[in-house]
Structures are given as structure tokens and as C-alpha cells.
Amino acid sequence: RPPRSTLFPYTTLFRSNVILLTGGMMYILKNQIILFGRCTMNKVSIIGTGSVGSTIAYTLTVMGLVSEIVMIDINSEKALGEALDIRQGTPFCGACSIYAGDYRDAVNSDIVIITSGIARKPGQSRLELAQTNVDITKMIIPEITKYAPNATYIIVSNPVDILTYTFVKLSGLPENRIIGSGTILDTARLRSRLSEYYNINQSNVHAYVFGEHGDSSFIPWSVANISNVPIRDCQKLISTPGICTPELDFEEIEQYVRKSGGRVIARKGATFYAVSVSVCHICKCLLAGIDTTMTVSTMMHGEYGVDDVCLSTLNMVGNDGVRGKVNVSLTDGEVALLRNSAEKLKEVIKSLKI
């Protein structure tokens, strides 16, 4: 396994899809780029190969985002099986080396994704998982950071805000390199629901979910819009001939977003497709050359009067991790809701042994 950036002769072909030879320079397209003979590759390590971890690995492969994926799990046979199953489909998608390994194999990872922990059961809240998954995270931190100290970490396990806080406090890594998936999934659910209301492309919907990834989350409606039309004006300003747009029920949408995870779990036992796509979107932005705004869980330092807790507001995410926050203007009521969400999380943190 070569390091992330290595020089090799042009006669060597390593896990590439397309080669272009022009003017003495070679370019490998897809998830490797060679300029002037230098090859840059992206490596991701995934800890936990349950439904979420394995689906993230599969989605990363199909999207062609990375050239190397390490799958790590206490159940090594499960990791071996998942890696083999995904690897055998790579001839029909982006070239990628996928294998099961241990913490030592995470060396030189660009991104480490933490999905390990006990899954939420039907009727169980995310916060009820707290102490068990905090203890699991505390065991993982020294093992993985020893081998991948320069990686950007994405925390996915629930309760994600509590575990992100734990990782920040105990890892000793720079805060900008620790990202909780937070409400990026809730935001995707919100945009999906609003696009259904107005029969419009989801990419034209600009709305966010702030706070805890859980019951105290909220939607700052004051900044929500569709193609710059404020959400409260959409019914009268957005018209489609032959289609009657129902009046927007804000409370119904909030409940839809907040309860979607529980409804999926009640029906099929787990959620993993939507969260996996959301995490892969974070990975794509981390590997890109330009920052992207998204709602992810990061440590707060006085923004909106909230301090010493991890929750989701709008952040700028790029190649260097979290570059900063976008402190959009909120109403007094929305600020109060954000502070309430922070207090709910702090109450849980106080009851835990972190």
C-alpha cells in the first residue's frame, strides 16, 4: 500500500481507471490525479462495519470518491465479509482498494469515520444510548489517533453530539479536524419534505435544522427559502399551473423531520441509507478544493450565547476540516431554541462519566 502521495514511473499502473498521456505528463482520472508524475490518493478508514459503516463504504465506492477504504471492526469476520462483498463489485464502478484491517492499517488516512457503538432500538431515544457509546468511543480514541493523528474525524454514532464532544475533549486533536454528522441528515429530510410540498428540485431548497440531532432540534424558519423566496411567502409567490399548493404546516414538517428516524427504525429496524449518503457528502466536501456550508456538529465557543457543547449550526467545511462557522442572523425565539437544545445536551453530559 503506497502512501497518499508517491512518485512512480509512468509505466506503473496502480488502481486507475483512465490514463491520458499528453506532453510527457500523465493524468489518472477518477479518484487519483497525477500531475507531473505525482499521484495523490484519498484514503478513508471506517470503524464499525454494521449497517451504517458498511453502507458508507459501499456508497463511497459507488461514488468514486476514494482510492482506498479500510474497514475496522471488533468482529473481524464481519469486516472481512463486508469488504469482500463490496470489493467484488468494483469492476463496474470506480477503482478502489477495499479491505478489512485493524487500527494499524489506518496509517495515513485522510478521513476516519466512527460508526461503532450500540444501535438505537425501536422506541429508544438517542440520548439513552449515551453512556454505553461514550465508553466505546473512549476505548477507540487512543487506538485510532495513535495511527491516524492527521486525519479528519467524522463521528456518526449516536448520540452524535455527545460523542463528538467526547472526542474533542479526550483526543487532543485540533477541533477543526473533528466533525459530528449532526443535523446534516435532518437538513436533508427537511429539504426533501419541502421539495415535495412545492414540487421543486431539492437543490433549490435552502433550509436547515439546528441544534441537537434529536428531540430538541429545531428549524430556523427565518432563514429558510426556495430560490431566494422566503419560505413564508412561497405559497403566494410560487405558482404552478394546474397544481394546487397546500398551505405549509410548519409544525407538521418539524415533527416529520424530528420523528423520521424513529419511524424508519420502527418499520425496518435501522436507518442507514440516508445517513450514509449524508456522510459521503461530508467526505466529498472534505476532499474538495473549495469550502461548502453544511449543518454539522462542532464545538461552540460563544456563538449565539452557547459555549462548551457540540451541536449543529452552519459550518464551512473543506480540505482543512471545519474552517469556521456561518453565524446567520436568527430571531430571538430561534436563539432561545438553540440555547434550549444546548442545555438539554449539557444536562446529559453532566450525568455521564466522560
Side-chain angles (χ1 to χ4, degrees), residues 4 43 45 68 102-109 146-148:
R4 285 181 295 172
K43 178 178 179 178
S45 294
E68 186 174 357
D102 56 28
Y103 292 115
R104 290 171 295 179
D105 294 299
V107 168
N108 290 329
S109 292
K146 177 167 59 176
Y147 294 105

Side-chain angles (χ1 to χ4, degrees), residues 47 89 91 94 118 139 184 229 254 268 331:
I47 302 177
I118 304 300
M139 290 189 291
I184 191 168
V229 177
E254 294 234 16
K268 57 174 282 189
T331 66

Side-chain angles (χ1 to χ4, degrees), residues 159-209:
V160 64
D161 302 293
I162 303 294
L163 299 185
T164 303
Y165 180 87
T166 302
F167 214 96
V168 169
K169 290 295 184 180
L170 300 183
S171 68
L173 299 179
E175 287 183 11
N176 69 302
R177 290 288 183 181
I178 303 169
I179 302 171
S181 55
T183 62
I184 191 168
L185 173 56
D186 307 81
T187 294
R189 288 168 173 161
L190 169 63
R191 293 181 179 181
S192 174
R193 187 63 168 154
L194 290 174
S195 74
E196 292 170 356
Y197 256 86
Y198 294 103
N199 194 34
I200 198 166
N201 192 312
Q202 296 177 18
S203 63
N204 297 130
V205 180
H206 305 283
Y208 310 96
V209 178

Side-chain angles (χ1 to χ4, degrees), residues 313-335:
T313 59
L314 206 53
N315 289 265
M316 292 179 289
V317 175
N319 196 245
D320 293 324
V322 178
R323 188 164 66 86
K325 295 185 186 337
V326 181
N327 297 318
V328 295
S329 180
L330 302 178
T331 66
D332 291 344
E334 290 165 348
V335 171

